[in-house]
């Protein structure tokens, strides 16, 4: 099975984690050891330091590794011109091999809604650029629901969805919006892969590890032995994400 | 003739144990013992595998030998109490043993259950405490009867432990393990996430153990605990049906520790703690 990890990061977080991975090279070494072929990666400076600087650091880090590392930049409301205008920003993404965006509205002090990010979100809908929503500690469920009600065609990946009582939160979004996906780095509910596949379809799940906050092996072994078909496993492991990132 | 290239094992290259778990989902040499599980539904979320039969099926998939359970009903519905625990063990006597859950908010029920414990040793391996949820500190006098009972008999007591909790944080755990050296105190969740304190307590007190439930997913935590407390003090738990067994085993295989450490964690330590012989299930 080929694995394409939708959720991993590099860099040293302000608040240390047990085993951070500072560079793209270190990340690739651990991916190679675990048997993970490709990853969609972000840089922790995008969250902890400053978005534009973090985006630049990520682009530099992944540039030599285009075959296996794809970038995920962070985005901000642009009323103060902190980032280039949306179209220009998207062109920079293409040049830097960045195929998805993520937001940190908690840490970065903004409301995730039309009035703040509207122009960027409209471009993302038009160009089919996926937006990763880290739910736990950042976006929260009410903002995710409101965002999708306003932008029902936005490609959204629900990320950092932990298993403690979130099933009733994400299920309406998977059921109600055809472009909403769930990444499984913290979605480790016993029988969860099978349950989501049966009720919403394997196309809704994306393999993710949360590395290096979490290890690679949990999501890998859970998917390897999930009671679903080989085709469904392959789609979750890599195929769904490859399709989603093919928006250029 | 060119040698056939060895197929690298995903997750943990070069490990025969990982290769077995990857290819077959189980290892013949590693009869997993899950020391922390909670059958039955619970208020906070939907759980597809919460029926005891589902949980036993999942245990068999990983080549599991035994799981020790405290049903959600025992944790949260005092009027049902431990009744479901007893019926589950009677239904699956080969694969399941129970903890007697103690809710000190109801001392009369606790004393009634304790009085019946010795006649039900085929059901119960020890006691389960949930101080954060029952809102009673571990050092509260209402827990005294169960600690004395377990201490006299050398029984395991597994308690929810979390860092900085006034009910089951570092200070409360240390008070109990310092006072009662006859019982076997299992720190569920290893004082998440004060690994340093958890390791220090496990190292200092021979009767203190670390339960990795919801810990092994934090990459590096298992390595730290192994280095500072020793794999002989660590036990495998999952909170099933919250977390899946393959997921938890996969996280353990991701740790930078030896296969021997993993055997200790997945079954050997629990075999010793629960006095399981080779023929016992």
């Amino acid at each position: 099975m080929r694995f394409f990890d939708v959720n991993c990061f590099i860099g040293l977080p302000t608040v240390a984690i047990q085993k951070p991975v500072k560079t793209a090279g270190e990340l690739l070494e651990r991916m190679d050891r675990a048997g993970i072929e490709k990853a969609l990666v972000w840089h922790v400076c995008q969250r902890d330091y400053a978005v534009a600087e973090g985006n630049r650091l990520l682009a530099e880090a992944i540039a030599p590794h285009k075959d296996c590392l794809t970038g995920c930049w962070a985005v901000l409301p642009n009323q103060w011109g902190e980032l280039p205008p949306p179209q220009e920003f998207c062109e920079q993404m293409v040049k830097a091999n960045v195929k998805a965006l993520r937001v940190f509205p908690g840490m970065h002090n903004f409301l995730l809604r039309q009035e703040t990010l509207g122009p960027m979100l409209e471009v993302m809908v038009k160009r089919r650029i996926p937006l990763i929503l880290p739910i736990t500690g950042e976006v929260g469920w009410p903002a995710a629901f409101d965002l999708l009600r306003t932008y029902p065609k936005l490609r959204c990946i629900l990320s950092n969805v932990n298993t403690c009582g979130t099933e009733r939160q994400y299920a309406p979004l998977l059921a109600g919006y055809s472009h909403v996906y769930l990444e499984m780095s913290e979605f480790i509910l016993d029988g969860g892969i099978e349950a989501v596949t049966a009720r919403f379809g394997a196309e809704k799940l994306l393999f993710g590890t949360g590395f290096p906050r979490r290890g690679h092996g949990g999501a890998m072994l859970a998917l390897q032995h999930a009671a679903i078909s080989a085709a469904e496993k392959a789609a979750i492991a890599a195929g769904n994400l490859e399709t989603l990132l093919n928006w250029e | 003739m060119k040698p056939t290239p060895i197929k690298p094992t995903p997750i943990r290259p070069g490990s025969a144990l990982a290769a077995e778990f990857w290819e077959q989902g189980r290892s013949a040499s590693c009869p997993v013992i899950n020391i922390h599980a909670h059958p039955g539904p619970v208020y906070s979320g939907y759980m597809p595998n919460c029926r005891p039969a589902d949980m036993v099926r999942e245990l068999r998939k990983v080549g599991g030998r035994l799981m020790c359970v405290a049903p959600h009903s025992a944790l949260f519905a005092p009027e049902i109490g431990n009744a479901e625990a007893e019926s589950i063990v009677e239904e699956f006597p080969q694969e399941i043993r129970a903890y007697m859950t103690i809710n000190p908010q109801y001392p009369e029920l606790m004393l009634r259950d304790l009085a019946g414990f010795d006649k039900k040793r085929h059901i119960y391996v020890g006691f389960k405490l949930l101080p954060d949820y029952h809102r009673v500190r571990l050092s509260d006098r209402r827990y005294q009867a169960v600690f004395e009972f377990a201490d006299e008999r050398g029984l395991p007591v597994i308690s929810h432990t979390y860092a900085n909790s006034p009910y089951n944080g570092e200070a409360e755990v240390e008070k109990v393990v310092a006072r009662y050296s006859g019982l076997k105190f299992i720190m569920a969740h290893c004082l998440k996430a004060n690994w340093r304190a958890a390791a220090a307590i496990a190292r200092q007190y021979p009767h203190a153990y670390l339960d990795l439930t919801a810990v092994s997913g934090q990459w590096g935590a298992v390595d730290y605990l192994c280095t500072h407390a020793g794999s002989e003090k660590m036990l495998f738990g999952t909170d099933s049906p919250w977390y899946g067994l393959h997921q938890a085993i996969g996280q353990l295989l991701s740790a930078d520790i030896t296969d021997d450490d993993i055997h200790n964690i997945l079954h050997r330590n629990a075999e010793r703690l629960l006095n399981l012989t080779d023929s016992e299930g």
Side-chain angles (χ1 to χ4, degrees):
Chain A
M1 189 153 47
R2 294 171 49 244
F3 287 98
F4 191 167
D5 184 354
V6 70
N7 184 16
C8 64
F9 64 87
I10 56 173
L12 302 180
T14 307
V15 178
I17 58 172
Q18 207 72 34
K19 288 169 74 172
V21 168
K22 190 177 174 186
T23 66
E26 288 172 47
L27 172 64
L28 286 168
E29 196 178 305
R30 294 303 307 206
M31 284 168 55
D32 191 47
R33 176 180 155 84
I36 293 176
E37 185 182 310
K38 295 193 288 186
L40 181 71
V41 59
W42 58 284
H43 196 293
V44 78
C45 278
Q46 294 167 330
R47 183 194 64 192
D48 288 5
Y49 167 41
V51 167
E53 276 302 292
N55 287 348
R56 184 183 63 75
L57 287 170
L58 179 75
E60 286 176 7
I62 64 172
H65 311 291
K66 286 191 173 169
D67 289 345
C68 29
L69 296 183
T70 303
C72 177
W73 274 352
V75 68
L76 286 170
N78 216 17
Q79 284 75 29
W80 295 104
E82 294 174 84
L83 297 174
Q87 287 293 358
E88 188 184 333
F89 189 73
C90 291
E91 295 316 314
Q92 290 183 6
M93 286 174 65
V94 172
K95 283 183 193 159
N97 193 32
V98 170
K99 300 285 181 63
L101 295 172
R102 61 170 60 224
V103 283
F104 299 99
M107 192 86 169
H108 297 167
N109 293 310
F110 66 88
L111 298 175
L112 180 60
R113 53 196 300 169
Q114 189 174 24
E115 294 89 331
T116 55
L117 267 176
M120 188 71 216
L121 293 167
E122 280 151 26
V123 171
M124 292 177 74
V125 170
K126 192 173 171 186
R127 299 190 67 164
R128 297 177 292 128
I129 298 171
L131 179 65
I132 297 182
L133 300 179
I135 298 294
T136 306
E138 280 294 339
V139 173
W141 292 109
F145 274 75
D146 291 347
L147 181 73
L148 282 156
R149 191 180 301 126
T150 310
Y151 298 98
K153 291 186 178 172
L154 183 68
R155 273 124 174 101
C156 269
I157 299 170
L158 307 175
S159 181
N160 301 95
V161 174
N162 86 34
T163 194
C164 295
T166 52
E167 297 72 33
R168 296 172 190 139
Q169 308 278 16
Y170 66 70
L173 297 178
L174 294 186
Y177 298 97
S178 51
H179 301 301
V180 171
Y181 307 85
L182 181 63
E183 72 91 357
M184 51 188 281
S185 65
E186 293 186 33
F187 169 70
I188 45 184
L189 178 69
D190 190 9
I193 295 171
E194 293 88 340
V196 169
T197 299
R199 189 162 290 263
F200 305 110
E203 66 275 13
K204 291 292 202 176
L205 274 176
L206 304 174
F207 170 76
T209 66
F211 189 82
R213 184 174 290 282
R214 305 182 65 80
H216 282 130
M220 291 176 74
L221 198 65
L223 185 56
Q224 165 78 349
H225 294 293
I228 57 176
S229 73
E232 289 168 329
K233 287 180 191 177
I236 295 168
N240 294 341
L241 183 59
E242 285 168 339
T243 303
L244 200 53
L245 299 184
N246 187 24
W247 51 264
E248 275 181 61
Chain B
M1 197 169 90
K2 279 174 92 175
T4 309
I6 298 168
K7 193 178 165 189
T9 304
I11 303 176
R12 190 178 179 84
S15 159
L17 187 62
E20 275 187 282
F21 275 113
W22 185 257
E23 295 297 335
Q24 298 157 37
R26 57 171 65 202
S27 163
S29 65
C30 192
V32 174
I33 298 176
N34 181 4
I35 57 104
H36 189 150
H38 303 297
V42 70
Y43 61 89
S44 54
Y46 166 67
M47 294 188 181
N49 281 347
C50 72
R51 294 182 313 147
D54 295 328
M55 294 175 66
V56 168
R57 181 196 65 221
E58 295 301 307
L59 183 73
R60 288 173 184 161
K61 270 193 205 172
V62 302
R65 178 179 185 181
L66 186 72
M67 64 178 149
C68 298
V69 308
H72 285 121
S73 57
L75 302 178
F76 300 118
E79 62 194 83
I80 298 173
N82 289 293
E84 191 184 2
E86 297 180 11
S87 65
I88 290 171
V89 175
E90 279 161 7
E91 189 179 356
F92 298 101
Q94 295 301 312
E95 287 103 344
I96 300 183
R97 292 286 185 281
Y99 298 107
M100 178 177 277
T101 296
I102 297 297
N103 181 348
Q105 294 278 355
Y106 296 91
E108 70 287 358
L109 297 180
M110 179 178 83
L111 293 174
R112 180 202 65 190
D113 286 349
L114 279 180
F117 186 95
D118 285 333
K119 289 182 185 162
K120 297 176 178 174
R121 293 296 294 271
H122 60 296
I123 289 173
Y124 294 114
V125 295
F127 299 96
K128 164 71 180 179
L129 314 181
L130 199 60
D132 262 342
Y133 292 77
H134 294 155
R135 305 290 173 94
V136 177
R137 291 172 192 261
L138 276 171
S139 61
D140 189 287
R141 61 179 169 74
R142 285 172 284 179
Y143 273 125
Q144 197 174 328
V146 69
F147 285 135
E148 287 174 356
F149 190 96
D151 201 50
E152 284 167 14
R153 291 160 177 79
L155 294 170
V157 176
I158 184 168
S159 175
H160 184 85
T161 65
Y162 255 69
N164 304 317
S165 161
Y167 301 104
N168 43 236
E170 300 85 334
E172 290 296 301
V173 168
E174 187 135 25
K175 283 179 202 168
V176 171
V177 293
R179 181 165 180 188
Y180 300 101
S181 58
L183 52 72
K184 296 159 181 168
F185 192 88
I186 304 171
M187 289 179 267
H189 315 299
C190 304
L191 285 165
K192 194 174 180 179
N194 189 347
W195 315 130
R196 181 183 295 191
I201 291 170
R203 191 173 60 243
Q204 182 178 349
Y205 298 96
H207 58 294
Y209 295 85
L210 300 163
D211 158 22
L212 297 181
T213 296
V215 171
S216 53
Q218 313 290 311
W219 193 53
V222 169
D223 314 29
Y224 181 89
L225 295 168
C226 206
T227 301
H228 295 278
S231 66
E232 298 78 10
K233 301 303 289 287
M234 296 159 71
L235 300 163
F236 178 72
T238 66
D239 253 343
S240 297
W242 293 83
Y243 306 109
L245 286 158
H246 275 127
Q247 182 273 334
I249 293 168
Q251 292 292 14
L252 198 55
L253 293 173
S254 286
D256 292 323
I257 59 177
T258 67
D259 278 13
D260 206 45
D261 291 326
I262 293 175
H263 274 289
N264 283 343
I265 294 165
L266 282 175
H267 65 103
R268 286 181 192 145
N269 298 335
E271 286 163 358
R272 278 196 296 273
L273 189 78
L274 300 172
N275 300 315
L276 298 178
T277 63
D278 284 345
S279 58
E280 221 175 349

